[in-house]
Amino acid sequence: QVELVESGGGSVQAGGSLRLSCAVSGYTLRRRFRGWFRQGPGDEREGVAVIDSDGSTTYADSVKGRFTISEDNAKNTLYLQMVNLKPEDTAMYYCAADEPFRYPRGRGIEFVTTFYYRGQGTQVTVSS
C-alpha cells in the first residue's frame, strides 16, 4: 500500500520560513516524478516544484528563488524548503508522485497536480 504523509505546515508571518516533509512508504521515489502542488482557498491547484525522473528540478515562477525541493533517498522522503514566505503562499500543500513513463521528461511541473499518488496535505498559512 502506497502512503504519502506530509508534515511541517503551520502559521508564519510574511518573510518567515517553513520546511515541509513528505514521508513515502510502499513506493520508491527515486527515478520517478515527485513533487509538490498547492491549492489555496478558492483557487485552482498549482504545481509548485518537481523533481523529474532524471533528477532535474523545476519550479513555478511564483516560487523560484524562494522554495527548494530536495529529497533523502535513504529515508524515501521529499522536502520543500520555503523561505521569504508571502501571504499569497497560503494554501494546502500536497506531495505527489507518479511513474516516469506517464509524462514528458522535463515537464513534470505541468502535470504534478495530476500525479497518481498524493498525500492528504499540510496547511501553510502566511499572515501579513
Side-chain angles (χ1 to χ4, degrees):
Q1 181 179 355
V2 178
E3 189 173 24
L4 288 73
V5 180
E6 301 95 338
S7 62
S11 297
V12 297
Q13 291 190 327
S17 301
L18 284 172
R19 187 194 194 204
L20 306 184
S21 298
C22 173
V24 181
S25 58
Y27 188 79
T28 302
L29 291 175
R30 192 178 180 188
R31 296 197 182 94
R32 292 183 161 113
F33 281 103
R34 57 276 193 202
W36 297 87
F37 67 91
R38 66 188 180 185
Q39 187 167 22
D43 293 337
E44 298 286 325
R45 291 176 179 175
E46 177 191 17
V48 174
V50 166
I51 301 176
D52 269 35
S53 55
D54 63 359
S56 61
T57 57
T58 52
Y59 297 89
D61 288 342
S62 58
V63 306
K64 280 180 182 176
R66 300 188 298 120
F67 290 12
T68 303
I69 189 171
S70 63
E71 62 186 352
D72 184 327
N73 289 327
K75 295 181 179 180
N76 208 34
T77 298
L78 193 66
Y79 302 100
L80 185 68
Q81 178 68 52
M82 308 183 294
V83 301
N84 191 21
L85 283 161
K86 304 176 180 180
E88 51 263 42
D89 294 318
T90 294
M92 185 72 80
Y93 284 72
Y94 301 86
C95 64
D98 209 333
E99 294 298 311
F101 59 79
R102 291 189 190 276
Y103 307 101
R105 188 175 296 180
R107 295 179 59 188
I109 192 70
E110 301 176 36
F111 301 101
V112 61
T113 59
T114 63
F115 284 1
Y116 185 78
Y117 297 110
R118 61 187 65 180
Q120 294 299 308
T122 186
Q123 178 68 39
V124 171
T125 302
V126 185
S127 58
S128 57

